[in-house]
Amino acid sequence: PEIIRLENIFKIYGSGETEVKALNNVTLIVRQGEYCSIMGPSGSGKSTAMNIIGCLDRPTSGSYYLDNVNVAQMDDTQLAHIRNKKLGFVFQQFHLLPQLTALENVTLPMVYASLPKNERLEKAAEALKRVGLGNRLENKPNQLSGGQQQRVAIARSIVNRPVVLLADEPTGALDSRTTQEVLDIFGELNASGITVVMVTHEPEVARQTERIVWFRDGEVIESNLTPADLVNT
Ligand code: ADP
Ligand code: ADP
């Protein structure tokens, strides 16, 4: 089954002389359980597409079906609800709150859930164990390495059990060893059924996903590359 369907998506910024067509008739389908990366040069529309996929922004026109619901023209409140229910986000910067422990950081997405505090803490601890940080619950971000901080951010992204995990340059601030730790975790989460869509400019990162989508000038120019195809780019 399909989990993401972008259909004839246009995103236009500005108007008249300053008009920019950031997305120019993008159609893209991601099936449930896929592990995809999105690549392409700077300015090719990757972030714009991720913002729309992530329900952080609306397309100018076109349809976006997320888990079979057209969310393209929902209002901000509805989008926020969908985001919280269906999506997890990981960014290049970890965006952890420095004064909170790892455990407390991971409970943050559950503030709107009507769960007793002890259950929120239990779920947060479980998510941290899933990323190998069961022994770091009480550490604050500055007591953790970069790789560990990104793993806390990943735990935070999965604690509400999203159907899709969206990652924007998740290894951009990491060295090659911690990059591999983080990719191993994405691989395990994907194996457990979470659909993963990741933007990266690193071929060695994209090569570890199953499918590569390539953007250029606001268009999808390749939607089904395999890791082997990247050798020639
Ligand atoms: P990428 O993520 O591939 O670098 P973006 O999606 O950020 O590409 O940008 C696609 C195009 O849209 C670029 O020409 C960029 O300058 C333009 N753009 C992105 N965001 C805005 C914005 N908020 N206002 C105006 N133009 C924008
Ligand atoms: P990892 O590979 O899991 O990211 P490292 O080998 O880089 O871990 O770090 C080992 C230990 O050193 C970590 O468990 C962490 O406690 C500590 N550490 C590493 N880098 C930092 C840092 N920048 N700030 C604070 N502690 C750090």
Side-chain angles (χ1 to χ4, degrees), residues 136 141-149 151 175 177-178 181:
R136 293 294 192 161
N142 70 2
Q143 298 170 313
L144 299 169
S145 69
Q148 291 169 331
Q149 290 182 59
R151 281 148 65 190
D175 63 26
R177 188 174 57 84
T178 49
E181 285 176 18

Side-chain angles (χ1 to χ4, degrees), residues 13 20 22 40-49:
Y13 290 112
V20 175
S42 178
S44 60
K46 305 182 297 294
S47 302
T48 303

